[in-house]
């Protein structure tokens, strides 16, 4: 399975990296997930770095922050899959504001354990 995931990463890079680097003057990290909760290596590094920066900024523990990020990503992927299966019923969008978000409280409310 690891070889297939790396093939998907390379395919995404071929499709998008050149445009992002040359036109938008940015960097490109493909976020590739499997259906069995797996992530490509670059995706894991991205999530780790994001959690590190967010935990420093908010003064939260790294473990709390990474579990919060993983749960948000998991539910976003689940919502996306459900939309593909049943279609959209509304066009509602609720922006996420992490400035007023307490990761520890949300983690406990969701019932996540370390």
């Amino acid at each position: 399975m690891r070889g297939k995931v790396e093939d998907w990463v390379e395919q995404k890079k071929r499709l998008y990296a050149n445009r992002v680097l040359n036109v938008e003057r940015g960097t490109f990290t493909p976020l590739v997930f499997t259906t069995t909760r797996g992530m490509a290596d670059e995706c894991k590094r991205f999530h780790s770095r994001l959690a590190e920066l967010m935990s420093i900024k908010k003064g939260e523990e790294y473990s709390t922050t990474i579990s919060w990020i993983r749960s948000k990503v998991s539910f976003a992927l689940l919502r996306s899959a459900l939309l593909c299966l049943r279609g959209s019923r509304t066009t509602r969008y609720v922006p996420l504001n992490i400035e007023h978000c307490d990761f520890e409280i949300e983690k406990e409310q969701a019932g996540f354990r370390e």
Side-chain angles (χ1 to χ4, degrees):
M1 185 59 129
R2 177 61 57 200
K4 191 68 170 167
V5 171
E6 297 306 320
D7 289 344
W8 293 331
V9 169
E10 290 304 316
Q11 179 184 6
K12 293 289 183 190
K13 282 184 179 180
R14 277 194 307 274
L15 288 172
Y16 302 110
N18 191 34
R19 179 183 58 85
V20 170
L21 291 173
N22 295 326
V23 176
E24 298 177 14
R25 306 271 188 238
T27 59
F28 180 72
T29 302
L31 301 179
V32 177
F33 300 91
T34 67
T35 56
T36 57
R37 296 184 48 130
M39 285 190 256
D41 291 336
E42 286 185 57
C43 186
K44 287 178 188 175
R45 283 193 300 272
F46 169 79
H47 279 89
S48 294
R49 180 69 175 145
L50 179 63
E52 179 186 341
L53 293 173
M54 287 177 67
S55 64
I56 290 169
K57 181 177 181 176
K58 295 206 36 93
E60 299 275 349
E61 289 188 28
Y62 174 84
S63 59
T64 302
T65 306
I66 192 73
S67 61
W68 181 82
I69 289 171
R70 286 179 181 153
S71 68
K72 290 293 182 183
V73 169
S74 294
F75 281 106
L77 291 171
L78 181 61
R79 273 193 305 272
S80 175
L82 288 173
L83 277 173
C84 289
L85 291 174
R86 70 174 172 91
S88 176
R89 294 183 182 166
T90 65
T91 57
R92 188 179 71 122
Y93 171 72
V94 179
L96 179 62
N97 184 0
I98 66 165
E99 293 296 321
H100 306 292
C101 194
D102 188 348
F103 298 154
E104 192 67 40
I105 292 174
E106 284 203 21
K107 186 175 117 182
E108 287 182 21
Q109 286 177 344
F112 289 115
R113 286 179 229 113
E114 308 252 345

